[in-house]
Amino acid sequence: MMSTTRLLPLGLMLLCFACAPPRDWYVDVNADCLGSGTEQDPFCTIRRAIDAANSGDTILVRPGTYFEFIDFRGKDLVLKSTHGPRHTIIDGQSRGIVVRFESGETKASFLDGFTIQNGRNGRSNFGGGIFCDGSSPTISGNWILDNKVGSALAFGGGIGCTETASPRILKNWIARNVAHGNSSILAGGGFGGGIYAASPDTLILGNLIQENRAVDGSLVRNGKAIGGGIHALGCEIVNNTLVGNSVRAPHFIEDGSATYGADLVNCIVRANSPSGPVEVSTGTARFSCVPVGVDGPGNIQTSPEFLDINQDDYRLACSSPCIDAGDDSVLSLLVDFEGNARRVDGDSDGTSQIDIGAHEFDAEFRLIGLPISGGAPVRFGAQAPPGEAGNLAGVFLSLGDAAGGNGIVVPGSGGQRLNLDLDLFFGLWLNTPRVIRNMTLATCPEVAGAPFQIPSQVGPGTEVFYAGITLDLTTGQVPSVTPTRSLIIQ
């Protein structure tokens, strides 16, 4: 009887623990490592936060570089950075797989907003940066860079997933990863430099997949290099852009320099090596911008006309054939790779239709490489909102000379609408105006010929143009734009 009396409170405690409401945990690499995980007293490592958390909890990670390895340990957690992948890095130091999902994690398990870099896996076959097995996590908004898997059979330099894993891979930048087969006695190979996905239930949506490599360095003469960007067995990949990926197998088979085995919808495939039909192999493509020889309904076999491929700017130029050319019937996100709204009327024909590729064309805010000349700067100022200690600022752009009294003249523009690129990143509030002398401006359609001129002197009555913008300094994105005056070139 006494033992029952003693066990009853413990049973109640366990029941209450199981029903505990979700909570937020905080991590700061600069914090005291004896912290309790609260907002005021954060943990100093992500691993410790995962140990403390329960399924349903959220872990918010502050900026910094975290040299550690992450295992979700079967918990459905939201692991999210507070300031995005540019500022929050998990670095494997070339010592192992950086992130693991291998204990039944579901789609409610999120990895969101990190740079995952310098993963190295030379001990097993799957995954250099991220490994998935027996799980279906959501991997979104990350930069997955410079990871490598190297073994006799190497699968997925950036993300490697077995047949029992079906992740959702959404809006990531996956670049410079390598799957390197290195067998000395058996037929080896590298498969899926960026992504290897063995389950047809995997969803690969809205990613920029760039300069990944599948390589075979085997000493025997029957090694393979397949799927430079993606090696996916039967899954549908939607609204991705694949550029600059490659396969290399000196002694045997090179196939699918961009994709192998996948069904492409609304994707751009460009400048992969080897080039031509081999860029898309053993799969299908529809409503995609693909090389000549890759046939399918709605496909475009001409240049996608990126804004500036030499500067790795894969947004669509005004004249791109990919604008409003995608298939609206497939699953898509509400926003594109950079967080801009999907399904806008990019060609101004009165109908909103999804674009091909990871980026949705935005006719209001464009960037092309036309310099400002004429000697007058663009003045920029940002002021923290009263009482705000967070990450949003009201930003004001004055297009004119330092006194703010001159308008902008674009020779030959014919009165086109002026557009601005606001891809600016600031770590601190700017409480005083700042002069920027090389802000890039553009019109759409782009104006050929002379660059933009900001004259140092104009006559009386020249109108001054301003725009009020909300800029998220944590991500560098512009969640809302409210012009205080119309930006019409006069």
Side-chain angles (χ1 to χ4, degrees):
M1 186 69 178
M2 287 187 63
S3 65
T4 303
T5 303
R6 289 175 180 172
L7 287 174
L8 184 59
L10 177 60
L12 289 174
M13 287 174 62
L14 292 174
L15 180 63
C16 292
F17 178 75
C19 298
R23 62 163 293 180
D24 292 344
W25 302 88
Y26 293 84
V27 181
D28 189 329
V29 71
N30 299 309
D32 184 339
C33 286
L34 298 178
S36 60
T38 64
E39 185 173 8
Q40 295 75 26
D41 188 28
F43 293 130
C44 68
T45 66
I46 299 170
R47 183 185 302 178
R48 190 171 175 205
I50 292 175
D51 290 343
N54 299 302
S55 287
D57 289 355
T58 297
I59 299 173
L60 299 169
V61 182
R62 293 171 180 163
T65 300
Y66 295 80
F67 298 103
E68 53 181 308
F69 301 100
I70 306 303
D71 189 333
F72 274 61
R73 299 179 55 193
K75 300 178 182 181
D76 283 339
L77 305 170
V78 175
L79 179 60
K80 181 179 177 63
S81 72
T82 61
H83 284 66
R86 181 181 295 272
H87 303 289
T88 317
I89 300 164
I90 308 176
D91 192 317
Q93 296 182 287
S94 300
R95 293 169 50 201
I97 299 170
V98 184
V99 180
R100 293 175 178 267
F101 298 95
E102 54 184 344
S103 304
E105 295 88 355
T106 74
K107 289 178 173 59
S109 189
F110 279 80
L111 177 70
D112 188 351
F114 295 89
T115 291
I116 307 298
Q117 70 180 28
N118 295 329
R120 293 291 186 275
N121 178 11
R123 298 183 178 181
S124 60
N125 300 105
F126 286 87
I130 300 174
F131 170 59
C132 302
D133 179 47
S135 59
S136 54
T138 300
I139 301 167
S140 65
N142 303 285
W143 295 358
I144 302 167
L145 310 176
D146 300 306
N147 302 285
K148 180 179 180 179
V149 57
S151 60
L153 295 170
F155 302 94
I159 303 173
C161 301
T162 70
E163 65 213 17
T164 64
S166 53
R168 299 188 300 176
I169 302 171
L170 315 175
K171 295 198 319 127
N172 302 279
W173 178 30
I174 302 171
R176 304 189 302 269
N177 303 287
V178 181
H180 190 281
N182 55 17
S183 175
S184 59
I185 57 175
L186 301 174
F191 305 87
I195 301 171
Y196 181 90
S199 168
D201 295 323
T202 300
L203 178 61
I204 302 173
L205 177 58
N207 304 278
L208 174 58
I209 300 168
Q210 177 188 3
E211 297 178 9
N212 302 283
R213 295 182 294 135
V215 180
D216 177 63
S218 302
L219 298 180
V220 295
R221 297 188 62 83
N222 56 350
K224 302 176 182 178
I226 298 179
I230 300 174
H231 188 302
L233 301 183
C235 72
E236 193 169 76
I237 69 173
V238 182
N239 278 113
N240 298 277
T241 296
L242 297 106
V243 290
N245 303 285
S246 63
V247 291
R248 186 173 182 275
H251 300 306
F252 197 43
I253 293 177
E254 298 175 341
D255 202 5
S257 54
T259 66
Y260 180 90
D263 296 324
L264 280 67
V265 187
N266 298 347
C267 290
I268 295 176
V269 177
R270 182 60 48 178
N272 301 281
S273 178
S275 60
V278 71
E279 293 182 59
V280 179
S281 179
T282 316
T284 64
R286 67 182 192 273
F287 293 92
S288 293
C289 186
V290 290
V292 173
V294 181
D295 298 323
N299 282 351
I300 297 169
Q301 297 182 343
T302 59
S303 170
E305 298 192 28
F306 293 126
L307 214 48
D308 192 346
I309 193 170
N310 294 322
Q311 297 296 322
D312 294 334
D313 190 341
Y314 301 110
R315 292 175 294 174
L316 302 178
C318 301
S319 55
S320 172
C322 298
I323 296 171
D324 282 13
D327 182 358
D328 272 335
S329 69
V330 297
L331 176 68
S332 64
L333 299 172
L334 296 177
V335 295
D336 73 354
F337 175 77
E338 294 191 357
N340 299 313
R342 273 290 192 191
R343 288 189 174 91
V344 300
D345 183 13
D347 59 7
S348 302
D349 66 353
T351 302
S352 296
Q353 185 173 341
I354 199 166
D355 296 346
I356 294 173
H359 296 84
E360 189 80 0
F361 175 73
D362 183 356
E364 292 301 312
F365 288 86
R366 307 300 302 133
L367 168 65
I368 57 176
L370 295 179
I372 293 175
S373 63
V378 175
R379 186 169 288 277
F380 176 92
Q383 183 71 39
E388 288 283 341
N391 305 308
L392 294 180
V395 179
F396 298 92
L397 294 171
S398 172
L399 307 179
D401 66 10
N406 297 331
I408 294 180
V409 178
V410 180
S413 69
Q416 293 290 341
R417 184 177 179 85
L418 178 65
N419 300 290
L420 311 176
D421 178 76
L422 296 173
D423 191 22
L424 307 174
F425 296 90
F426 300 95
L428 300 172
W429 293 113
L430 302 174
N431 292 317
T432 58
R434 185 178 162 189
V435 172
I436 299 176
R437 294 185 177 274
N438 56 357
M439 172 78 80
T440 309
L441 308 176
T443 60
C444 191
E446 292 100 343
V447 178
F452 291 96
Q453 305 289 322
I454 302 182
S456 58
Q457 292 183 355
V458 295
T462 301
E463 189 173 3
V464 180
F465 304 105
Y466 296 89
I469 292 100
T470 299
L471 175 64
D472 186 342
L473 298 180
T474 65
T475 65
Q477 296 178 354
V478 183
S480 64
V481 179
T482 307
T484 57
R485 299 200 64 171
S486 181
L487 294 177
I488 302 296
I489 301 171
Q490 60 172 18

